[in-house]
Amino acid sequence: MADRRGLLIILSSPSGAGKSTLARRLRAWDETIEFSVSATTRKRRAGETDGKDYHFYDEARFRDMVSKGEMLEHAHVFGHFYGSPAAPVKAAIRAGRDVLFDVDWQGEQQIRNSDLGRHALSIFILPPSIPELRRRLIARGQDSGDVILGRMAKSWDEISHWGAYDYVLINDDLDATEERLKTIVSAERLRREQQPGLQGHVRRLHSEFGEMT
Ligand code: ADP
Ligand code: 5GP
């Protein structure tokens, strides 16, 4: 058995608050953190790679996986289906590797209520202000004006779920937020339930204690 269990690190935020940027930085800090590549029925955007950013499935294939219980969680977001395939997550957690999820509040809720929920660590990223959120969506240059308006309209719905998360970070200064995120992950790895080897260690201490007295 690995001497530690992996964490399911869940990052959520309204679109544009900086979740993908922070996810990238966290994985650059520790390359052993796996990214849970979601499946989606939405179209691939320019610059996205199938199998790396998302698994781009048609609706029939997506529904088939859901009906076979092969998704850890799934949701309907912005008119499309999104879901996290369960098998790679289970293998990573058992082997002691952390898995990072970029999912919405529905995904957070379902992961927390799943069999692996006790290993979940959820972090919500808030923007410093709504004008700044809009500025970042525009600056990213990824979406048309209409799509940006749609994302802005949805952002309050996502923000309203902030209270369900273990941690909340206001992403004002990017470097400072990255440091806070790394601090959270470092501390959470030391949670008792993340260290299955502790029982054995304490048993050894106990027998050494007995030998001394
Ligand atoms: P999300 O994944 O939450 O939709 P992104 O990570 O794509 O958001 O960030 C949206 C835009 O805002 C990107 O252009 C990114 O470089 C920028 N950004 C992220 N965090 C900050 C920050 N703290 N300050 C300024 N710009 C930021
Ligand atoms: P986008 O289409 O911009 O990549 O993602 C849109 C939204 O879907 C984001 O809020 C993102 O967090 C969410 N999302 C992406 N993958 C999943 C997933 O597997 N499950 C859930 N519940 N949400 C997801």
Side-chain angles (χ1 to χ4, degrees):
M1 198 196 290
D3 62 359
R4 80 174 187 93
R5 277 272 187 282
L7 286 168
L8 291 88
I9 306 169
I10 306 165
L11 287 186
S12 303
S13 76
S15 188
K19 171 185 49 175
S20 321
T21 308
L22 288 163
R24 252 194 318 276
R25 287 183 172 216
L26 189 66
R27 293 183 66 225
W29 168 66
D30 182 342
E31 291 173 355
T32 67
I33 300 176
E34 287 186 21
F35 180 63
S36 168
V37 180
S38 294
T40 182
T41 57
R42 83 152 161 75
K43 292 254 179 308
R44 193 170 64 80
R45 291 191 198 119
E48 285 181 332
T49 309
D50 193 7
K52 184 167 163 272
D53 299 292
Y54 280 105
H55 300 290
F56 295 97
Y57 290 168
D58 61 23
E59 208 169 304
R61 181 162 184 196
F62 191 96
R63 286 184 188 279
D64 185 52
M65 282 187 74
V66 171
S67 70
K68 288 179 175 152
E70 291 173 3
M71 292 291 187
L72 183 60
E73 61 77 33
H74 67 280
H76 201 242
V77 189
F78 300 132
H80 302 285
F81 290 105
Y82 292 83
S84 309
V89 179
K90 289 186 176 160
I93 299 306
R94 237 180 275 125
R97 294 191 302 274
D98 301 328
V99 182
L100 182 63
F101 295 81
D102 171 344
V103 297
D104 76 338
W105 66 273
Q106 304 172 80
E108 193 270 350
Q109 205 169 66
Q110 292 173 49
I111 293 171
R112 181 159 301 287
N113 292 329
S114 75
D115 292 352
L116 296 173
R118 67 188 187 286
H119 302 298
L121 157 62
S122 68
I123 303 159
F124 197 89
I125 314 290
L126 282 174
S129 70
I130 297 302
E132 173 61 12
L133 181 67
R134 186 161 169 274
R135 193 198 65 74
R136 288 184 193 171
L137 276 174
I138 295 168
R140 187 166 67 180
Q142 208 176 50
D143 303 305
S144 67
D146 279 359
V147 172
I148 288 176
L149 277 179
R151 287 181 187 277
M152 286 300 299
K154 280 270 179 200
S155 66
W156 186 254
D157 186 35
E158 188 68 23
I159 290 174
S160 69
H161 295 281
W162 69 276
Y165 286 69
D166 296 321
Y167 294 86
V168 179
L169 295 173
I170 300 175
N171 182 20
D172 37 19
D173 178 78
L174 186 54
D175 290 339
T177 311
E178 178 189 343
E179 284 312 310
R180 292 186 203 118
L181 180 59
K182 293 192 291 204
T183 301
I184 293 168
V185 171
S186 301
E188 289 281 324
R189 284 174 170 171
L190 299 176
R191 239 154 59 177
R192 185 162 33 88
E193 59 269 36
Q194 297 307 116
Q195 301 187 71
L198 281 181
Q199 289 260 351
H201 183 72
V202 173
R203 258 198 308 275
R204 265 193 311 281
L205 291 180
H206 188 242
S207 63
E208 286 169 7
F209 192 75
E211 284 161 18
M212 269 189 54
T213 53

